[in-house]
Amino acid sequence: MRGVIEARGPGCWRVRVFTGRENGRVRWVSRTVRGGKRAAQDALAKLTVEVQDGQVVAGHAGSLGDLLDRWLDDISPHRSGYTMKEYRRLVERHIKPALGAQRLDRVSGQQLDRFYRALSERGLSDASVSRHHFLLHAALGRAVKWGLLGSNPADRATPPPLPRSDVSAPEVSQVQQLLAAAEADKDSVLAAAIALAAVTGARRGELCALRWSDIDWEKRTLRVARSLTVIHEEVTEAPTKTHAKRLVAIDSALGAVLTKRQHDQHDYAELVGASPADDPYILSRSADGATPCLPNGLTAAYRRTASKLGFASHFHELRHFSATTAIAAGIDVRTVAGRLGHADPSVTLRVYAHALEQRDRELAGFLGSVVLGALDPVSPADQPNVPARAELEARDKRAKVEPETQPTGWAALSSLPWTAA
């Protein structure tokens, strides 16, 4: 395979590798190298190997718009309908008009940075600009795997940094008020939805797709296997966001709420003379249970109830409530991630880092009291929280007399009065 080195200026070289002819035109793959001639020779040898192995496209690989269309078609079987709708919206509204006609092998990190800056100047938030970067990075990464590019130009781009924002979750008392208000309104559907979201942490689409056959009353488990989505007024059931099924344990309290919901649904069907569907939805306002509640309708009903109680809250915050309460109670992150349906526990760590920090502060206080509590205080005025000697001696005496009643290690941690975040 033929290759040449051309001097472009002091310490600057262009290396080119011949890849054949296309429509009568000679095709080359080229790169610019800075350094001595030895560096240019090494770069030429590397480029020659990459072309021979198919790591670099030999000729024109089409436009970025073509790649995006192929990538969207390729991932659509593995993404939810809502996710694909959002991806296509970003591509058609912003990416294609600005970059769609650009040759794929000429997309650069600098060009992507200019695109991100233009989006920011049009008023898009940093989070929105970062979503465009994520999409482009994924599509261009697939082009590398397909052998259309030697490297991902999005790796050389710099999207705006995302400020960390803690998730918001209602207090325990607020969740209890919401449940009481739904029961007072005789809305067993909303009451069951609130209880399910707060206890299981399931997403609203997953809750709307639940059927009575998903409950194993004997083993006290709930199967979360599907998610309901609405796109352009078309209701569809698809796998969960991570395309994985999971079993969630339910306790007797949640079981009582679900039992009441089942009786209410049966009574309503008898009242109007309807025959129950073969496998009714748990959250359904139809007499036969054949029509599920829609996610947006569930959100609207929840918001109206919260507004009556005088506080602003979104239905998805019940999922945050479930996660932060579990972490604050000392449940390990892997268990919390499995219950929430996170494919990777690192997602749980990232989203709920604030709850883990609170847990860490409580752990620091506990370990500090265990390790340092028996030391003589240097100055009681400077350290008002250090126990007095008499109190420490009494504590040690009790520990010797009743050692079996003194929790240690993680047992001691679990015995502390943890509160929900």
Side-chain angles (χ1 to χ4, degrees):
M1 185 167 289
R2 186 172 58 185
V4 297
I5 300 176
E6 301 173 348
R8 304 287 291 175
C12 183
W13 311 84
R14 182 171 71 175
V15 298
R16 299 198 300 160
V17 175
F18 174 74
T19 60
R21 294 179 178 273
E22 182 179 343
N23 297 328
R25 299 181 60 184
V26 177
R27 293 292 184 186
W28 298 81
V29 171
S30 62
R31 285 182 184 170
T32 300
V33 182
R34 297 190 180 277
K37 190 168 185 177
R38 177 68 179 180
Q41 291 171 342
D42 291 342
L44 177 62
K46 181 179 178 181
L47 181 60
T48 301
V49 172
E50 290 178 351
V51 171
Q52 289 175 337
D53 293 346
Q55 299 178 37
V56 178
V57 60
H60 189 359
S63 67
L64 178 59
D66 295 333
L67 169 68
L68 290 169
D69 290 337
R70 291 176 58 190
W71 175 71
L72 289 171
D73 290 341
D74 190 63
I75 68 171
S76 60
H78 313 291
R79 300 291 189 280
S80 69
Y82 180 82
T83 298
M84 292 307 302
K85 175 187 175 183
E86 180 64 12
Y87 282 178
R88 295 187 189 280
R89 183 185 71 83
L90 297 180
V91 167
E92 298 299 332
R93 180 174 294 184
H94 297 131
I95 300 178
K96 275 191 175 181
L99 301 172
Q102 178 67 34
R103 271 182 53 162
L104 181 59
D105 54 351
R106 292 183 179 176
V107 176
S108 66
Q110 185 179 22
Q111 187 178 34
L112 295 178
D113 282 339
R114 287 198 298 267
F115 172 61
Y116 301 153
R117 188 164 55 251
L119 291 178
S120 297
E121 291 172 352
R122 290 168 57 181
L124 272 69
S125 67
D126 289 348
S128 181
V129 176
S130 292
R131 282 195 290 272
H132 288 77
H133 171 74
F134 169 80
L135 191 154
L136 284 164
H137 190 279
L140 291 167
R142 187 64 60 90
V144 173
K145 288 186 176 181
W146 286 340
L148 302 177
L149 290 175
S151 63
N152 190 334
D155 286 335
R156 299 183 288 277
T158 307
L162 284 176
R164 177 183 149 185
S165 58
D166 294 340
V167 297
S168 176
E171 300 290 338
V172 174
S173 60
Q174 292 177 322
V175 177
Q176 292 171 342
Q177 291 178 57
L178 286 163
L179 278 168
E183 289 290 352
D185 291 339
K186 300 188 182 303
D187 190 345
S188 66
V189 173
L190 181 60
I194 292 172
L196 281 165
V199 176
T200 69
R203 304 173 181 90
R204 62 173 189 167
E206 295 171 342
L207 296 176
C208 291
L210 289 176
R211 298 175 182 267
W212 290 112
S213 61
D214 292 318
I215 298 179
D216 188 325
W217 296 102
E218 182 178 348
K219 295 181 179 179
R220 293 189 177 186
T221 59
L222 178 70
R223 179 182 59 185
V224 181
R226 302 170 304 280
S227 182
L228 198 74
T229 58
V230 182
I231 302 175
H232 303 306
E233 299 184 356
E234 181 181 352
V235 181
T236 60
E237 275 191 21
T240 62
K241 187 175 182 179
T242 57
H243 287 251
K245 301 176 182 179
R246 64 186 188 275
L247 289 179
V248 178
I250 57 178
D251 67 340
S252 57
L254 179 58
V257 173
L258 293 172
T259 300
K260 182 180 183 304
R261 169 63 200 140
Q262 192 174 46
H263 289 165
D264 289 345
Q265 189 178 61
H266 182 266
D267 292 344
Y268 181 36
E270 283 192 344
L271 180 65
V272 300
S275 299
D278 292 337
D279 189 8
Y281 288 95
I282 296 177
L283 303 180
S284 173
R285 298 191 183 279
S286 63
D288 58 0
T291 305
C293 284
L294 300 184
N296 285 343
L298 201 60
T299 297
Y302 176 87
R303 186 180 290 118
R304 286 194 300 269
T305 302
S307 180
K308 289 179 183 178
L309 296 173
F311 54 86
S313 180
H314 191 278
F315 189 83
H316 191 74
E317 292 177 359
L318 293 173
R319 178 173 168 84
H320 299 327
F321 166 83
S322 179
T324 54
T325 303
I327 293 172
I331 306 301
D332 65 277
V333 173
R334 184 172 293 278
T335 300
V336 176
R339 193 169 180 86
L340 296 177
H342 287 163
D344 187 347
S346 65
V347 176
T348 314
L349 287 170
R350 183 173 67 253
V351 175
Y352 301 105
H354 68 290
L356 290 167
E357 289 176 0
Q358 175 63 27
R359 179 71 172 165
D360 183 59
R361 282 192 290 272
E362 294 167 343
L363 176 58
F366 169 75
L367 293 175
S369 66
V370 170
V371 177
L372 306 176
L375 298 180
D376 286 332
V378 176
S379 171
D382 295 335
Q383 299 183 7
N385 293 327
V386 175
R389 176 176 291 276
E391 180 184 346
L392 292 172
E393 291 176 350
R395 182 191 303 172
D396 292 340
K397 185 176 181 180
R398 289 195 302 270
K400 292 176 181 179
V401 174
E402 304 177 43
E404 70 279 359
T405 64
Q406 304 300 315
T408 59
W410 290 111
L413 285 178
S414 64
S415 69
L416 293 177
W418 305 117
T419 58

